[in-house]
Structures are given as structure tokens and as C-alpha cells.
Amino acid sequence: MALSACGTQTAKVGDKPLTQAQADNLKIVAPYLGSAMVSGIRGGGQGTASQSARQSFVSGTCSASVFTDNDKDKIPVGYSATFKDCTEDKLLFIQVTNGSVNINDSNDSDPNSGFTSKASNLSFDFYERAAANTKGKQFFRIVDNWDVTVGVTSTSASVDCKFSLALTSFKNGVQDKTWNGSLDFKGSYVPKNDGNLDNFDAGTINLNGTLVLGDFALNETVTDLKFNASCTAGPVSGKIRFDDGLGNFLELTYTGCNTGTFTYNATGSGTF
């Protein structure tokens, strides 16, 4: 089964070249975009919400409804998660979550049915882990909004996706730069035949589309981007390539769980 994906967005590629300085900024953002694409398909965002609710809870409110899944496809019916200053100890850092996620299986008697998933102002604020496991200086923020509908028939499936992302970096605890991104993509998703009923926990993505960061637009090509159930952080292999339509490009090659290498204009330029 292959899933075609689409969204709505307007942008013009080719107005601005992708310079080395812009590529360096894109290197900060791009791995998060790769993770976000995977999260949009993986259980309709179910993994993001339920994983957050299960972490080491320190303070605030981490509220999740009962996870009802009669057809055992890992997609719940009427599931909602609400976070209000939900503070969690992630061992390497402190994370504070706000916002909400809602997921609904189209037919909870059919493991091959589709689903709807929405995230509203789902924000993650990351802080250094200070003494006594308290919050230190903030170093990053992610804000997600998505609206995904997967419709499945006996022979095909479709994905309609609207997705936006805001990333903010901090220096010495002070807000430094913010990138506002959106994705418009068309392509395919093929689930991995891994012997379970969850069609969205592992698979391969191929797509072509446009990435917009502020007023800057790039072509985006995703080639054999694979993810699996054991790596919840993002993809495990494949490539994501951004080009400006003028001959300049930045390419991410995944070599492990949400890790890999950057290439800018055919020259190696770091790892992530």
C-alpha cells in the first residue's frame, strides 16, 4: 500500500540563492523538519503525545484521555492529550510542553482504516539541566501545528497534510533566532511489512515539494527516508535535499537514528 501526501502552500523558488551562511542556518532547522515529517505519519502523532505523557513528570499538567484501540492498530479513538507547563526530566535536559493533540481512528473495528490527527500550538521548551534537576538556561523551543487526514480504501490511501513549524534558538538563555517553516509536499509513503497491525509505525517516505522558512523558499526532495518503531526521534536512513533552483543545495544523509551528515554544494560540511 502506498500513501500519497499533499498540502497547500504558496512560495517562489529561485528568487534567493542558498548561500553558505543560509545553509548553516538551515542545518540547525533541517533535522527537526525531518523528525516532524516522520511524526506526522507515525500513528498520526500518537507517539508524540503518549510518549510525552509517560515521561518522568515533575510539575505542571500532563493530561491524556483513555487510549481506546479495539482493532489494535496503535491508532486510538477519541484520544486527546493536553499539556500545560508539563515539565519533564529528560536526564540530559529539562523539557516543558504546552498545547494539545487530538487523534481519531476512522474505524476502530478495521486496522486498515484511516485516521485524523491534529496538534494545536504544541510547544516544547528545552532547558539545561541545572543542580537538583531544576531548569537552567533555555536553549531551544519548537512549536508544532499539524492537521493530518489519512483516508484508506481497499486498494489505495491518501494523506492530506497541513503542517507548520517554528524553531527558536537561545544564547545564554536569551532568545536569539526564530525560523518559521511550512511544508507543502506530494509523494508516497509505503508501510514496512513488519508483521504487526500498525501501518504507521515504520515505513519509507519519498516526496517532492517546497520548504518555506520566512520569505525564503527551497525545493525539497526526500528519497527513501525510512523510520522504524525502535527510533522514536526521527528517520534512520535516506536523504533530504534542499535546493534553491539556482544550482546550490544542502543535503542530509541519515546514517543512524536521527543522525547523519550534511553536504553543501557537494562538499561535506558537518554532522547532526
Side-chain angles (χ1 to χ4, degrees):
M1 178 175 65
L3 306 184
S4 62
C6 65
T8 56
Q9 181 189 77
T10 58
K12 188 175 180 180
V13 177
D15 283 346
K16 298 180 179 180
L18 180 62
T19 65
Q20 177 71 68
Q22 290 164 331
D24 288 342
N25 282 332
L26 183 57
K27 284 191 291 185
I28 299 173
V29 179
Y32 291 96
L33 294 174
S35 297
M37 280 191 291
V38 168
S39 294
I41 293 176
R42 190 198 304 273
Q46 172 267 97
T48 300
S50 59
Q51 181 184 7
S52 292
R54 289 196 301 266
Q55 297 294 328
S56 177
F57 177 53
V58 178
S59 63
T61 302
C62 302
S63 175
S65 65
V66 175
F67 195 99
T68 302
D69 181 22
N70 294 318
D71 57 9
K72 308 303 180 184
D73 62 357
K74 302 294 182 68
I75 300 173
V77 171
Y79 178 87
S80 64
T82 302
F83 309 102
K84 185 175 181 180
D85 295 328
C86 174
T87 303
E88 303 159 75
D89 184 352
K90 299 285 190 175
L91 299 183
L92 295 178
F93 54 86
I94 300 295
Q95 176 180 307
V96 179
T97 306
N98 283 279
S100 63
V101 173
N102 294 275
I103 305 147
N104 194 60
D105 194 336
S106 298
N107 184 348
D108 203 32
S109 297
D110 179 5
N112 292 314
S113 66
F115 63 85
T116 59
S117 173
K118 295 183 180 181
S120 300
N121 294 322
L122 187 63
S123 65
F124 304 93
D125 289 282
F126 301 93
Y127 297 84
E128 296 175 357
R129 195 168 184 257
N133 303 335
T134 58
K135 289 192 303 183
K137 294 179 180 179
Q138 184 167 5
F139 62 89
F140 212 78
R141 174 184 295 140
I142 303 173
V143 181
D144 280 329
N145 285 276
W146 70 69
D147 189 339
V148 179
T149 300
V150 177
V152 180
T153 69
S154 59
T155 58
S156 63
S158 64
V159 176
D160 294 322
C161 179
K162 297 179 181 178
F163 173 76
S164 65
L165 179 70
L167 305 172
T168 302
S169 63
F170 292 73
K171 285 186 177 180
N172 295 319
V174 178
Q175 183 173 321
D176 182 33
K177 297 179 180 179
T178 296
W179 297 268
N180 292 298
S182 59
L183 289 173
D184 176 6
F185 56 85
K186 295 180 180 180
S188 66
Y189 165 69
V190 179
K192 182 179 180 181
N193 185 12
D194 54 4
N196 63 39
L197 295 178
D198 188 350
N199 285 324
F200 307 103
D201 66 337
T204 302
I205 305 170
N206 283 276
L207 63 88
N208 291 280
T210 304
L211 166 70
V212 175
L213 290 172
D215 60 353
F216 190 69
L218 295 168
N219 293 316
E220 178 180 4
T221 304
V222 176
T223 304
D224 292 336
L225 192 69
K226 299 182 185 298
F227 65 96
N228 58 38
S230 64
C231 175
T232 60
V236 295
S237 65
K239 296 183 177 183
I240 303 177
R241 182 185 179 101
F242 305 95
D243 76 82
D244 59 8
L246 302 171
N248 304 294
F249 71 88
L250 177 72
E251 186 170 82
L252 288 71
T253 300
Y254 286 85
T255 57
C257 179
N258 209 36
T259 61
T261 60
F262 293 111
T263 300
Y264 172 65
N265 287 353
T267 301
S269 57
T271 60
F272 61 93

